[in-house]
Amino acid sequence: MTAAGEMRQYQVVGRKAGTDENPNPEAYRMVIFAPNPVAAKSKFWYFMRQFRKMKKTTGEILDCVEIVEKNSRSVKNYGIWLRYDSRSGTHNMYREYRDVKLTGAVSQLYNEMAGRHRCRPRSIQIIRTATLGAGELKRPNGAQFAQRKVKFPLPHRVDSAKRGQKALSDRTFSTVRPTTYFG
């Protein structure tokens, strides 16, 4: 599986195929992050082989739907618990991200794990995700943005031409550098 672009969240429901002894077997539901539904189904069978004595040839997918977040207009803090295989072994990890959607935070996770740990997407298993409040954050990087009065100053900026106003200079080329610090 490649993690190209935005990851999506899928709910996959599957079960063992019905037999004469058990015509209606137990169904299993998983929430899986994958780039497309084909990869989500593949991951479902990967985990089912590990947890239950079931594989794709002896089972069936009942449902595969994408879960879309309702309120994606405000920035939230997300905590993600995962395990991944490195060159030296298997490690558990907890990471925090700020994003407007959980799928965006998971995409950040895959990109950061590739950059910092050279970890391939196939070796990452997301155990649990949670939306965190400001008091629940453990990492200082995310906590600095979760304060009540956060300011983002713009110390160096170039005045550009706005409608009805004069730009830095009337000419295309200027003999002096622009002033970018406005105290």
Side-chain angles (χ1 to χ4, degrees):
M1 180 196 78
T2 60
E6 183 91 5
M7 295 295 272
R8 296 167 183 266
Q9 188 178 16
Y10 292 96
Q11 175 182 291
V12 183
V13 180
R15 67 176 188 178
K16 206 168 197 170
T19 59
D20 293 335
E21 302 101 41
N22 191 2
N24 194 11
E26 190 177 9
Y28 297 95
R29 178 178 66 92
M30 276 188 208
V31 175
I32 292 175
F33 292 95
N36 53 46
V38 176
K41 291 175 191 175
S42 176
K43 270 183 139 179
F44 173 81
W45 290 120
Y46 170 78
F47 289 123
M48 289 309 291
R49 270 195 318 273
Q50 288 184 340
F51 300 140
R52 298 281 180 263
K53 198 170 182 180
M54 189 187 321
K55 55 186 184 174
K56 186 178 178 182
T57 56
T58 61
E60 60 186 354
I61 297 283
L62 300 176
D63 191 27
C64 180
V65 292
E66 184 178 353
I67 300 172
V68 181
E69 211 161 327
K70 287 186 176 129
N71 182 16
S72 61
R73 290 182 302 236
S74 62
V75 177
K76 295 177 276 302
N77 303 308
Y78 293 103
I80 302 175
W81 288 261
L82 67 128
R83 73 185 277 226
Y84 76 99
D85 296 322
S86 71
R87 295 181 182 120
S88 59
T90 304
H91 311 283
N92 293 323
M93 191 178 279
Y94 167 76
R95 304 200 76 80
E96 291 176 353
Y97 297 97
R98 282 177 64 81
D99 208 295
V100 292
K101 293 190 287 187
L102 178 59
T103 54
V106 170
S107 299
Q108 284 184 50
L109 167 85
Y110 275 96
N111 291 335
E112 188 178 17
M113 291 298 290
R116 288 184 193 268
H117 301 282
R118 303 294 183 265
C119 186
R120 308 292 183 262
R122 65 178 170 267
S123 63
I124 297 173
Q125 297 177 9
I126 295 174
I127 298 168
R128 185 165 80 95
T129 61
T131 305
L132 305 173
E136 299 172 312
L137 293 170
K138 296 183 177 84
R139 307 289 188 257
N141 189 33
Q144 69 181 341
F145 297 111
Q147 298 167 0
R148 192 168 286 287
K149 295 183 180 178
V150 177
K151 292 182 180 178
F152 299 98
L154 301 170
H156 293 279
R157 56 195 179 275
V158 177
D159 279 346
S160 60
K162 293 179 185 161
R163 195 174 287 143
Q165 289 183 349
K166 201 164 103 175
L168 264 175
S169 68
D170 296 331
R171 291 172 249 106
T172 305
F173 301 103
S174 178
T175 56
V176 293
R177 290 174 180 261
T179 303
T180 62
Y181 185 72
F182 299 103

